[in-house]
Structures are given as C-alpha cells and as structure tokens.
Amino acid sequence: MIGQMMQQPLLISSLLRHAERHHSRQEIVSRRVEGDIHRYTFRDLADRSRRLAQALGRLGVEPGSRVATLAWNGYRHLELYYAASGSGAVLHTVNPRLHPDQMEWIITDAADDVLFFDLTFLPLVRELAPRLASVRHFVVMSDRDHLPGDTDEFLAYEDLVGAESGDYRWPTFDENTASSLCYTSGTTGNPKGVLYSHRSTLLHTFAVSLPDSMGLSARDTVMPVVPMFHVNAWGLPYAACMVGAKVVFPGADLDGRSLYELQETEQVTLSASVPTVWQGQLQYAQDHGVRFTALERAVIGGAACPPSMLRRLEQEYGVTVIHGWGMTETSPFGTASVPKPSSEGLTVDERLAVQAKQGRCVFGMDLKIVDDAGNELPWDGSSAGHLHARGPWVLETYYHREDIDPLVDGWFPTGDIATIDADGFMQITDRSKDVIKSGGEWISSIDLENLAMNHPGVAAAACIGVRHRKWDERPLLVVVRTPEADLTAAELLDFFDGRIAKWWLPDDVVFVEALPMGSTGKVLKAPLREQFRDHLTTARTTVPVRPSTP
Ligand code: ADP
C-alpha cells in the first residue's frame, strides 16, 4: 500500500521559495570586494536569483550544464547557488587558493560551461582563460563600472541580471538530480569530484540546522566564514534560507580585525570557520582587549579544534563551541560535539574533554570504526580504528570515476582514524596517512599537537612521524612560537612530561617561522615529513634519547 501524501521533490529552489514567502524581510549583509557593505533581503535574493536563472538560460546553460564559480562569500555567490542549482544546472564551486594548474585540471574535468568570478580573480582568469576549452562565457561578478576598460571578452554580472524580468518559475524535477560539485583538495594525487544532489543537499540542510548540530533559527545571525567555494560553506547558505536566519558574508577579508568588526556591527550570533581563522580572531580580541558582544556559538571544524581554543572561547569569552567533523565526501557535516544529559554533573574539565571530541551523529549519518581486517571495533573510547561513514548525504561514487568503487561493504572509508565512546562521541586521533607508527603501535599526532597548543609559548604545532633506526618512526614536533616566547625544546618536552605516556613523548622539537598551509586552511604535513624525514637519523637531537618502550 502506497502512502497518500503529496509528492514534493526535495529541491534547492524550495528553500528559496520558503525564505521569500516566510522571511522576506530578513537581511543578507555582504562585505564586497568593491570595498563597501551591501545589504538586501531574502525577497531581493529570490528576485535576483530568478533573473539570474533567466540569464543562464539566455547564455545557453542547460539542465546538467556545469556553472563554475571562483568567488568569496557574498550575495552574488548566493544568487548563483540558487539560480544554477534551482534551474537544473550544476553549481561547481572552484577553490581559488588552488594552484592555477589544478584549477585548469578541475575545470576541464568538470567541463564547466560558464565561469563566474569575483573581481579579485580577474588577473588569474585572464591567465587561465585560454586554457579552459569548455568554458563558453566568463562573467565578472560585478557591474560594468567596476570593470577595467580592457575586459571586453568578459560579461558583467549586473548587466546579465539587469536585463531580465524575474518572471521565472523554478522548474520541478527529480530530487536526485545533481545540484553542485566540489572537488576534494587533492593533497594526494589529483582532486576528485563529489557530486551532490538536491535530495542529499536538502537532507543535509535539515541535519545541520538541528538543535544538536548548529541549532539554527530565525533569531540567529549567521556568518559563514568557511568558504562557499569549499563544501558549500558547511551547508549554511542553504540552512539560512531554511530557517530564515540573517546572513553576514565576510567577503575576502578573513583577518582577525575584519571579522571581529563585521561580527560586532552586525551582531552575529553564530560564526563558522576552521581553527586557524578562529586563532586570528582570538589573537585580535586578546591584543585589543575586546569582547564578543553578540556571539553565542562558534562552529569549529575542518581540522581538530585545540582544547586550549575551546577553553578560551567558552571560559574567557562565554561563547559555546560546537566542534564538528566532516569532509567533502560527507557534504560535509558528519558529527557535532554537543553534550548529552550524561555530561551533566561532569566537572568543567570533563565536559570540555567531551566537547573537544569531534562529536556524535545526527540522524541520517552513521559511523563505525574497524581494524585493518575490517572487523568492527568496540565503542569504548579507546580502541582506535579506521572510520567509516554512511548516510544519504555521503558519497557513493566520485564524479567521472564511476569505474572505481570507493565503498567497502556499503560504507565510505573516510581515511581518518578514530575512537568512539559508549555515548557515541567520536574522536579523530589522526588522518590515516598522518598516524605515527612507533614500533608497530600508533601514536596520535593530534593528541600531541593539542597538548603542545596548551603551552602559552606555542602559537601552532604539527606533529609528524619521522624515521627512527629502532622504532621505524618516532614523533617530531614542529612548532611556531608565539611572538614574545623564547621557549626551548627541552622546556616544551618537560611540559609534556607526566601528561602523556612516556613512549608518546616526541623525540625532538624543531621551531619554524610558519607551518605550510593547504588551500582549505589546514596544515600540510607532507612537506614537513619530506623536510624532516631524516631529522632523527642524521641530526643531533637537542634532547637526550629517552627510553621509548612502545
Ligand atoms: P580534503 O579534501 O583535505 O579531505 P576536506 O575538507 O574534505 O578536505 O577534509 C576532510 C578531513 O578533514 C577529514 O577527513 C578529517 O581528516 C579532517 N577534519 C575535518 N574536521 C575535523 C575535525 N573537527 N577534527 C579533526 N580533523 C578534521
């Protein structure tokens, strides 16, 4: 017997229709690359998105065509999110921090039809354009007045939108239709495309909005600092329309001061970004003795949130931290570390230790940990294994790589190593390629980094496994000191003493000016491993060799 309820496909355009009907006066504020602040409402967003959809049609963009963007977080990018996907095309967000050769590879692999880009990227697009055979139109996301005179080969976004009437009805189609495309950052090998659908996006949007996820509502002012060019800004551009939250887009200025000022003037209640960006904001707040007057929740993910950062935000600034985990292949939202009733009655330290984990699943997402042979491991908080995920917003196959099956028994192996405790809180101990294998035992680089970050003289830390004659690999800590600190390796290792098992103690510490960062704001460990591979076998260590007994 079939149920007798309405068949309404889960389409991205329905989010916009809802926002226009039920939250039409809610604001969207953007800091533009043109240098000013732009404001309008959801009603304006809906109107201009319809015009843009008409313009795409006029440019010959067909259902399934790929519409690429090279853009910061802003209202025009949001219009593209809705116009491209809503009209049946596929929005392909390209990460402008990639090397131009990688961008060329990605745009060619996706066979993008049109490329929209912010003014910032004009020189880059000029260089790239001759190499992008599939792209028929290049559109600068600005008005003609802001374009240099010699850009006749490019269209102006405002010309396109201004020429249309907005008399457009969003088409209805199968909810499994592709909606957007995002490539993994490709730290190993070529990037791989992850193709989201309308259905997966809508279900993911419900999931991120739930109270035990980001807990979004119409009373929130959300600032997605996490870029719209990487995994759909963790779903916030969709969730804002779903719940009717005010949105604040920071544009290209992601330094501590710019973010702080915008956050304060717009009274942002929830902001989301990677730990390195939060670090900049905290540094600014500390240097200027300022407070966050409206901020209630800090969503931190993409890389492990150091417990010291969590503690500062919560205890010094009164901001609740929502530590989340996910990846391009999981849309990205997988888990959030939001307490359960079992956290009541815990000491502050114990509660913070729970929140420092990557968190638990919301309905839809499922996780398991397995050993090397694929046997499921217990949820005891200490058995570490390969983390596998499944759910309706988890990837099944890679775009253009349909010949390869990435799944194992219907689960997606994430490449992360994790524990899961009895309450279902998952904790990442490492990326499988970063785990340090000392004498056949695993040492968690993230634990050692978190501990190092607790020292006031440490601004940033990365722990890597380097060659060792006896134990194959031993941990080496690579540290950036805080500006005023004159910390030595011996002092830092003394700080570790008693806080971890003796055999986990790093064999040495090296100090560097800065850590190599990837295109999504994460530390790149591969070049560090390359640079320091023989550090322990050739260099004289600055600390005596300790009795390591894995
Ligand atoms: P990439 O293309 O580099 O995989 P993603 O943005 O998809 O880019 O990165 C996903 C990976 O980032 C995860 O598999 C995990 O290793 C790491 N990651 C994400 N969030 C966290 C977190 N909260 N703690 C630790 N690692 C995280």
Side-chain angles (χ1 to χ4, degrees):
M1 189 181 287
I2 302 290
Q4 296 178 321
M5 310 307 283
M6 289 186 195
Q7 283 291 332
Q8 286 198 1
L10 300 173
L11 297 180
I12 286 173
S13 55
S14 65
L15 293 170
L16 188 59
R17 198 177 290 125
H18 171 81
E20 184 181 22
R21 279 177 68 78
H22 300 281
H23 303 280
S24 61
R25 288 179 292 148
Q26 185 60 285
E27 262 192 313
I28 298 165
V29 181
S30 308
R31 182 183 273 143
R32 305 201 299 178
V33 291
E34 288 94 329
D36 56 357
I37 298 279
H38 172 273
R39 293 174 186 276
Y40 73 177
T41 63
F42 278 134
R43 177 181 291 136
D44 302 319
L45 168 70
D47 174 52
R48 284 173 49 96
S49 301
R50 281 191 296 265
R51 290 166 187 259
L52 183 57
Q54 286 176 303
L56 289 176
R58 207 173 292 280
L59 291 178
V61 173
E62 294 181 345
S65 297
R66 268 76 66 209
V67 174
T69 60
L70 263 177
W72 304 109
N73 293 7
Y75 67 104
R76 293 190 183 109
H77 206 173
L78 188 64
E79 289 163 9
L80 277 156
Y81 263 57
Y82 285 100
S85 305
S87 62
V90 177
L91 178 84
H92 174 203
T93 51
V94 182
N95 183 342
R97 296 198 184 113
L98 294 174
H99 188 276
D101 289 348
Q102 267 187 324
M103 285 186 215
E104 176 191 349
W105 190 92
I106 285 176
I107 292 172
T108 306
D109 187 59
D112 292 328
D113 194 17
V114 185
L115 174 65
F116 286 79
F117 60 98
D118 268 336
L119 271 172
T120 329
F121 305 115
L122 194 59
L124 172 70
V125 173
R126 278 216 174 100
E127 179 200 326
L128 270 179
R131 291 147 63 183
L132 305 178
S134 66
V135 179
R136 293 184 301 114
H137 301 287
F138 294 87
V139 185
V140 188
M141 292 163 68
S142 188
D143 49 50
R144 196 142 287 280
D145 292 348
H146 284 93
L147 263 61
D150 57 344
T151 45
D152 287 349
E153 72 273 39
F154 300 140
L155 302 168
Y157 186 97
E158 292 303 329
D159 288 352
L160 298 183
V161 171
E164 303 297 339
S165 66
D167 184 11
Y168 176 85
R169 285 177 73 84
W170 296 109
T172 300
F173 41 76
D174 185 338
E175 65 185 21
N176 291 301
T177 303
S179 58
S180 63
L181 178 63
C182 179
Y183 280 73
T184 61
S185 38
T187 39
T188 49
N190 270 330
K192 294 195 278 295
V194 180
L195 188 60
Y196 309 108
S197 70
H198 284 257
R199 174 187 155 82
S200 73
T201 303
L202 268 275
L203 294 174
H204 178 263
T205 307
F206 279 114
V208 299
S209 308
L210 284 172
D212 279 1
S213 304
M214 297 194 209
L216 299 174
S217 86
R219 297 169 300 287
D220 272 316
T221 298
V222 301
M223 181 156 84
V225 180
V226 49
M228 291 166 82
F229 57 70
H230 192 62
V231 224
N232 302 320
W234 299 347
L236 283 168
Y238 305 116
C241 277
M242 178 175 274
V243 304
K246 174 177 166 183
V247 191
V248 180
F249 286 124
D253 303 324
L254 304 183
D255 59 286
R257 180 197 196 95
S258 305
L259 291 176
Y260 176 80
E261 286 175 356
L262 190 61
Q263 202 166 279
E264 284 301 302
T265 44
E266 299 304 326
Q267 294 285 285
V268 168
T269 59
L270 178 140
S271 177
S273 48
V274 292
T276 43
V277 173
W278 280 110
Q279 184 73 31
Q281 287 211 58
L282 281 171
Q283 193 64 46
Y284 178 81
Q286 180 183 319
D287 293 349
H288 295 83
V290 291
R291 309 214 38 95
F292 303 115
T293 60
L295 193 66
E296 294 165 8
R297 280 157 295 153
V299 182
I300 307 183
C305 167
S308 50
M309 176 178 285
L310 199 157
R311 186 179 289 275
R312 280 185 74 194
L313 277 162
E314 296 237 354
Q315 298 199 312
E316 283 179 41
Y317 294 97
V319 176
T320 300
V321 171
I322 302 171
H323 186 199
W325 165 89
M327 56 198 313
T328 310
E329 288 89 337
T330 63
S331 292
F333 183 71
T335 59
S337 209
V338 177
K340 279 184 171 179
S342 51
S343 290
E344 275 161 29
L346 295 181
T347 63
V348 172
D349 284 353
E350 288 166 341
R351 183 178 53 77
L352 290 179
V354 173
Q355 277 176 262
K357 296 188 175 196
Q358 276 69 14
R360 58 194 170 89
C361 293
V362 292
F363 169 75
M365 175 60 76
D366 199 5
L367 294 177
K368 68 173 180 180
I369 41 173
V370 300
D371 64 16
D372 286 340
N375 303 310
E376 196 163 348
L377 292 170
W379 291 19
D380 56 12
S382 61
S383 305
H386 304 278
L387 182 70
H388 290 196
R390 71 174 175 195
W393 57 88
V394 177
L395 153 135
E396 190 160 282
T397 47
Y398 286 103
Y399 178 71
H400 276 176
R401 305 271 184 98
E402 289 82 359
D403 50 319
I404 307 165
D405 180 5
L407 306 190
V408 177
D409 299 330
W411 293 75
F412 175 72
T414 63
D416 286 324
I417 306 294
T419 61
I420 304 180
D421 68 20
D423 271 331
F425 283 82
M426 181 273 286
Q427 181 160 28
I428 304 273
T429 56
D430 251 311
R431 203 74 186 133
S432 57
K433 58 180 187 294
D434 294 336
V435 79
I436 301 160
K437 292 185 181 127
S438 172
E441 296 285 336
W442 289 357
I443 295 177
S444 159
S445 65
I446 294 183
D447 279 3
L448 295 179
E449 287 156 11
N450 284 343
L451 200 48
M453 291 290 291
N454 275 338
H455 193 289
V458 174
C463 197
I464 51 169
V466 296
R467 271 193 214 151
H468 188 276
R469 289 209 177 86
K470 181 165 184 195
W471 303 113
D472 296 337
E473 257 183 27
R474 290 292 302 157
L476 173 72
L477 197 59
V478 186
V479 167
V480 180
R481 294 186 188 97
T482 51
E484 61 290 347
D486 56 0
L487 181 69
T488 65
E491 281 164 0
L492 187 55
L493 290 172
D494 279 347
F495 176 77
F496 274 73
D497 224 1
R499 292 182 159 97
I500 45 162
K502 272 254 179 292
W503 65 275
W504 277 44
L505 201 66
D507 280 30
D508 199 5
V509 179
V510 289
F511 294 100
V512 293
E513 289 297 311
L515 296 173
M517 301 299 280
S519 62
T520 53
K522 300 181 205 192
V523 174
L524 293 178
K525 290 194 179 172
L528 289 178
R529 274 194 289 266
E530 185 63 28
Q531 185 180 351
F532 295 109
R533 192 176 41 203
D534 299 320
H535 182 82
L536 295 178
T537 46
T538 53
R540 236 172 58 91
T541 54
T542 51
V543 283
V545 177
R546 286 159 200 265
S548 332
T549 47

